[in-house]
Amino acid sequence: MVTLITGGAGFIGSNLSSVLSKTGDVRVIDDLSNGNEDFIKSLPVTFIKQDISKAKIDMKGVNIVYHLAANSDIRSVGFKKDFKNNT
């Protein structure tokens, strides 16, 4: 099974990547604005460093997507950044 995880280099995404990479092909996309590549460096995953709002992601063969990319700064003013990340 092929899994795509957006925000996969963050705390939750990297832990999910660790579990899922034991049983299948995992692709991680993250712009590292809040994530950390060290969290996934030792995992057998394909890492794509890119902003998901600008990415052209090849979904061919992908069976499931976990959308974990988010603005973790809850103090931010306005909704534009959150809207951009989620649409």
Side-chain angles (χ1 to χ4, degrees):
M1 171 153 42
V2 179
T3 303
L4 174 69
I5 304 173
T6 66
F11 177 75
I12 295 170
S14 62
N15 282 285
L16 180 62
S17 297
S18 177
V19 171
L20 295 177
S21 66
K22 293 175 184 173
T23 60
D25 178 21
V26 176
R27 300 174 190 171
V28 170
I29 184 166
D30 200 305
D31 67 357
L32 301 178
S33 60
N34 293 304
N36 186 334
E37 191 173 359
D38 289 340
F39 291 168
I40 59 169
K41 190 174 6 181
S42 64
L43 300 177
V45 301
T46 301
F47 176 62
I48 305 159
K49 182 182 176 188
Q50 196 163 22
D51 182 335
I52 62 165
S53 67
K54 297 178 177 119
K56 293 185 179 181
I57 303 167
D58 181 9
M59 298 297 292
K60 190 175 190 176
V62 174
N63 301 101
I64 190 164
V65 175
Y66 290 92
H67 176 44
L68 302 177
N71 175 21
S72 61
D73 182 7
I74 60 172
R75 300 168 300 197
S76 67
V77 178
F79 68 93
K80 289 183 180 178
K81 187 173 182 181
D82 296 328
F83 183 78
K84 178 183 165 196
N85 284 341
N86 290 306
T87 55

